[in-house]
Amino acid sequence: MPRKASIQKLSNELLKDILDHIEADPERSVSIDRRAYLSVESFRLPSPPRPSQAQDIGNFRLACRRFADLGIPHQFTRIATRFSRAGLQRLEKIASRPNLAKHTKRFSYLIPFFYVEGRERVGELLHHANGDLQTLDASFFERKAEAQRSIVRSGEDLRVLKKAMMAFRSLQHVQILRLQDEADRSLLDYLHENDGAALRLVDLKWTPACTHALRTVGEALAEARSPFTRFSGPMMNPQSVLALKKAIPHTISVLSERLTCLELHFDDPVDLNARMKDLSPLFKLTFASARNMQAVHIGFPSRQPLDLDLEEIFHHIHWEKLRAFGVQAWRLSAPEIVSLARRHSKTLRGLRLRDVQLKDGSMWKDVLAMLRAEMELLDWVSLRRIDYSSHFDEVWGDSMEVPDYPPGGASDSDEEDDFHAHVDLEDDVFESEDEYSDGDSDERSNADTDNGPDANELALSPDTPASLPFCTCSRSSFPTTADDLGDNGRFVVYQQRKFWEKWVIGRCPEHT
């Protein structure tokens, strides 16, 4: 009589393959110079696992001790912790179990807006809201406000963070992300629309929340001598970074020495130029200390590009190992871009110039000519929504928001290169949002157009394919010089910038 097959007789390798079909291998990552790297690893915000997926992994681990051990990496390689009593309690439990903590490689800290002390009277606000907020429960917000005050005053978050960072000896990547649930979003929308009497009763601020998170996480990482090398902050506040500089100046220098990858996006446009100029010495200290930097992204709000010299932030620093570089929403001159690219022409493989607006007197063709002629290793370049500064002001000068689509429009059908077809992506791909939001469904798409779902993505992923073969046509229509690119020095349209991206890296615009 044949013996019955048993799943327990399968090898560990086969069982890991089965787990990979439930959830992608958490040990896989994208190379830092690949076109997907910063999208997947940094600015693609963590999403809650699907209930069925989490349940399947949990049930698998309950079967026996062997299965429990095999399933640990799928549950604990990436840890996302809310700033809340429950979130901190869970983090402490994980940190207290070395067999779990040793697998953690990415830590995401999810921070809500902080209530302004004395303005937490949500009950009164709801009473005067004339039914606009009738679905909200005042006690929910009151408990949250009380918990925030208690955690900050007791220092419970700093204690737990120090314990966790000490336990996460394989930690590589730290993220600080802004958190909103549906109730928070409804309340914030109401406050934004009724900012008079409403703000006297209830006020929520991101600046103190961001400041507190940066300070506590920074202290915990420094004290633990964490091995992390990558930091992401997609919703940074200039005031918070300035406050951090004053609170823990030595810590910043120590942590910067370990960095190989830094991605920062500043979302507050108020006095942006002045505040970033105040941060210039801190950027110099950080970048000078980070001698092993391999990837950098610094971005600003698309609706208000930074108007500051590039070297006010980068200080003519040369990184010998830099492989990917990106900036977003910046008014620059052609010589500024050329100078920085030229410093890294021997190592740079990816370049993003998203929402860069060239100043009067500069032309994009001069930038493109240098990139094509001198960037020896460049695999991809992203020019999404580039333009000329004067044209940008004419079109969007009086607008509070810059839409995802360009003037004249572009559709997904304009896009010829399929994102996933040319990149070995980590299966755990999440669409970017402004904030991490519990309960929101993720919409997946390969579209990479100026009006597609990735149009406002913060990450340093390119728009040009990195692995398409060169065509063998005669390229009779392929421009030989930048003068033939059709740059009129006034504005850039979608089809133009897509053509330019391919021309820079030597790809035929007709067959790629």
Side-chain angles (χ1 to χ4, degrees), residues 475-488:
R475 302 194 191 185
S476 57
S477 62
F478 197 60
T480 56
T481 71
D483 291 329
D484 301 322
L485 292 175
D487 181 12
N488 60 22

Side-chain angles (χ1 to χ4, degrees), residues 10-20 66 70:
L10 296 178
S11 67
N12 287 351
E13 288 72 20
L14 285 175
L15 290 172
K16 288 180 179 178
D17 287 341
I18 293 172
L19 287 172
D20 287 345
R66 177 185 170 215
L70 287 172

Side-chain angles (χ1 to χ4, degrees), residues 193-206:
E193 296 168 3
N194 303 270
D195 60 356
L199 287 177
R200 289 194 290 270
L201 298 174
V202 177
D203 196 7
L204 295 96
K205 298 289 188 184
W206 171 242

